[in-house]
Amino acid sequence: MSAFNLKGKIALITGGASGIGKAISLKFAGNGATVHLLEYNSEEGEKTAQEIQDLGGTAHFHQCDVSNHQQVKQVIDGIPKVDILVNNAGIAHVGNIEGTSEADMDRLYQVNIKGVYNCIHAVIGKMKEQGSGIILNMASIASSVGIPDRFAYSMTKGAVLTMTYSVAKDYVEQGIRCNCISPARVHTPFVDGFLAKNYPGKEKEMFEKLSKTQPIGRMGKPEEVANLALYLCSDEASFITGTDFPIDGGFIKLNA
């Protein structure tokens, strides 16, 4: 167990069964937290919860659509105590404004913005009563710099960034910390699926091309984001709130 001990902590992780979310779930459970996975995909959610249990950790799976306010409330009301909320669930979209339909905009808003609102709204009362709590939101480098063909996605992640600042300001005196992480490209199953769908037969070539857009020369690993999340949700980060943490291989500063 690392220095960043979460023993005795109850952590709720949305989208916690794949990609970055799964890496965070495994990392938190491996460092002592009881993990509650809020996941839309039942098969993946059950599989990840079982994997954590097989490794000696404690995990509970809750099938949940984070865009559904009542469903989120019902799930979280059933968890007596929440020390940590990680708002990781989100969906991507590729396209400029002309390539973004009204349906696209509505779908991204419902998951990426309203989903974060729903979860924070459901836990904030518990955290106030406890006099403590940690909220960690997953934003993106697209929150703060222009990325080609990411119009709707950038809009939603910009909202996540500013929600982070607002919640941190409003609840700092109640002992609640709120920060966000802004990754650049991270190698997740979404990336593999995107390449297979859009560049059949050229997946390796395009993967290398996308990797080289990061100044460090590669994509990030989900485990690297999970390591940062572990620190920010540990007692070692108790003096940190209202802050965005890019984890981007130098993308923001070195591409200027």
Side-chain angles (χ1 to χ4, degrees):
M1 188 173 290
S2 77
F4 308 126
N5 187 352
L6 301 181
K7 187 175 181 181
K9 302 293 185 181
I10 310 299
L12 193 160
I13 303 167
T14 71
S18 65
I20 292 171
K22 181 176 181 178
I24 293 173
S25 297
L26 290 166
K27 180 67 66 173
F28 282 24
N31 283 271
T34 294
V35 173
H36 289 264
L37 308 171
L38 267 67
E39 174 64 48
Y40 185 77
N41 186 315
S42 295
E43 182 179 351
E44 290 297 319
E46 291 171 355
K47 181 179 177 182
T48 299
Q50 187 61 55
E51 184 176 346
I52 289 171
Q53 290 164 14
D54 290 344
L55 291 169
T58 304
H60 306 277
F61 163 62
H62 308 269
Q63 199 285 328
C64 186
D65 176 359
V66 296
S67 71
N68 186 314
H69 186 82
Q70 196 57 41
Q71 195 175 116
V72 169
K73 184 179 185 302
Q74 183 176 357
V75 169
I76 294 178
D77 281 352
I79 303 171
K81 186 172 186 283
V82 178
D83 298 298
I84 300 165
L85 166 65
V86 180
N87 279 308
N88 169 77
I91 55 177
H93 179 264
V94 177
N96 59 20
I97 191 167
E98 294 173 288
T100 303
S101 68
E102 182 180 8
D104 292 331
M105 283 289 290
D106 289 344
R107 183 171 62 95
L108 265 76
Y109 169 81
Q110 289 293 323
V111 177
N112 293 1
I113 298 178
K114 190 182 175 191
V116 173
Y117 157 79
N118 286 340
C119 293
I120 296 177
H121 191 269
V123 303
I124 204 72
K126 292 178 184 288
M127 290 182 173
K128 284 175 64 180
E129 288 178 10
Q130 295 163 192
S132 65
I134 300 164
I135 298 169
L136 181 64
N137 298 323
M138 198 61 62
S140 166
I141 57 168
S143 303
S144 52
V145 298
I147 306 293
D149 291 324
R150 294 295 187 277
F151 172 76
Y153 180 75
S154 297
M155 177 273 295
T156 62
K157 291 302 183 178
V160 171
L161 176 65
T162 51
M163 278 194 285
T164 299
Y165 295 153
S166 182
V167 170
K169 180 69 172 178
D170 286 342
Y171 295 98
V172 66
E173 293 182 2
Q174 281 76 41
I176 299 168
R177 297 193 292 111
C178 185
N179 295 295
C180 64
I181 293 176
S182 287
R185 283 196 173 97
V186 176
H187 186 193
T188 64
F190 169 80
V191 172
D192 294 332
F194 173 79
L195 295 177
K197 178 181 178 181
N198 294 279
Y199 302 98
K202 296 184 178 180
E203 291 94 338
K204 185 177 179 180
E205 175 187 342
M206 290 305 300
F207 182 84
E208 291 176 357
K209 184 177 179 180
L210 291 175
S211 296
K212 289 176 181 176
T213 63
Q214 318 302 303
I216 208 167
R218 66 172 176 84
M219 294 189 195
K221 301 173 184 177
E223 294 76 17
E224 292 171 316
V225 182
N227 288 335
L228 178 56
L230 175 63
Y231 167 65
L232 291 172
C233 293
S234 71
D235 290 342
E236 283 82 353
S238 61
F239 199 55
I240 301 174
T241 192
T243 304
D244 175 40
F245 288 82
I247 180 166
D248 63 357
F251 187 91
I252 292 177
K253 295 298 185 181
L254 302 185
N255 272 338

